[in-house]
Amino acid sequence: MDTEQLTQKILDGDRRALARAITLVESGRKDHRAKAGELLSELAKHKRQSLRIGLSGTPGVGKSTFIESFGMMLTGLGLRVAVLAVDPSSARSGGSILGDKTRMERLSRDKNAFIRPSPSQSHLGGVARRSREAVALCEAAGFDVVLIETVGVGQSETVVAEMSDLFLLLLAPAGGDELQGVKRGIMEMADLILVNKADGPLKPVATRTCADYSGALRLLRKRPQDPEGFPKALMVSAVEEHGLDNAWEEMQALTAWRKANGHWDRRRADQACYWFDQEVRQALLARLETPEAKAQMAELARTVSEGGKSPGEAARIMLQALGAA
């Protein structure tokens, strides 16, 4: 299928074409990268936008269960929902289970939902390297909401905030005291903190946890992109599907305020600049993966290990060889 055909099928909402396009942008082959760039440029001309929601949380907090319940609620409202789930890759084999679609059995059968798991590979920050491009493809395909589920690695998982309009942080009851709430990093990136599993015997604990984090959020420095009262902590139960409608109302209110006050467009422009910077850095790092560069690196590493050169001196020689000194 040529680029023109693929572009039109994606614009028409063809799910199979969308899946093929995501496979294309995730490929590392040089000819695939060129075709992917052409495809994304064509789709960008149509300027379609979705509400991008990034979602993070520690493993076991119930991200997949929440996304299924939340996604089913959104499709019940007549919205089209895309889910991009990032699965951790093995440090030993490099493989991934890609089991998130299996966990979301109900949502995967919904005709208004699209679920795509992707491996994180060696990319840090909780998302796959091409997740941003996959989001752009889903927007072009006409989805109203794109949910980006991260690996769930901890406090440094903030890259997803650079590709989303809203950033949700899911926490488990009794996940920490108020001091945990004022830690920098992922906590200060969140727009909404959702205390999940607020049901059954855990509900009183969830209530205390939510109160702790509400208090902690008031101690953080106010951000210019937040109206009064944001960011805030809420309780939800993905299993009993309680609190999901309230969380959606808060998301809509925050989105509407940011659009009305110019923060939405400004944030998207800043994100575009961020990803331009990242693409340049990644391209420079890729130059180290050529056979010639690897051979020179190995030779310089041997010299450094034998004490013939200092690490700094060897690095300067390598950078000069790459033309980056």
Side-chain angles (χ1 to χ4, degrees), residues 42-121:
E42 284 299 313
L43 292 172
K45 295 175 183 177
H46 296 268
K47 298 183 178 179
R48 290 184 177 178
Q49 287 191 343
S50 310
L51 176 60
R52 305 172 177 177
I53 301 176
L55 191 137
S56 183
T58 54
V61 75
K63 293 191 297 295
S64 296
T65 307
F66 172 82
I67 287 176
E68 180 170 51
S69 297
F70 186 58
M72 290 298 294
M73 185 197 74
L74 294 178
T75 58
L77 296 173
L79 300 174
R80 297 183 68 218
V81 179
V83 178
L84 300 175
V86 182
D87 207 43
S89 296
S90 168
R92 294 183 178 180
S93 67
S96 291
I97 296 174
L98 302 180
D100 292 280
K101 193 169 183 176
T102 307
R103 287 173 173 167
M104 305 177 199
E105 186 180 353
R106 286 188 303 147
L107 190 60
S108 64
R109 294 198 302 263
D110 194 311
K111 62 181 177 62
N112 286 323
F114 173 82
I115 303 175
R116 172 67 181 228
S118 298
S120 65
Q121 297 173 323

Side-chain angles (χ1 to χ4, degrees), residues 2-3 12 17 25 67 77 84 87 107 119 151 154 170 172 197 232 235 260 263 266 275 290 295 311:
D2 62 29
T3 304
D12 292 340
V25 301
I67 287 176
L77 296 173
L84 300 175
D87 207 43
L107 190 60
V151 167
L170 245 64
K197 303 185 179 181
K232 60 177 62 176
M235 290 194 304
H263 295 290
R266 191 177 308 122
W275 289 109
T290 62

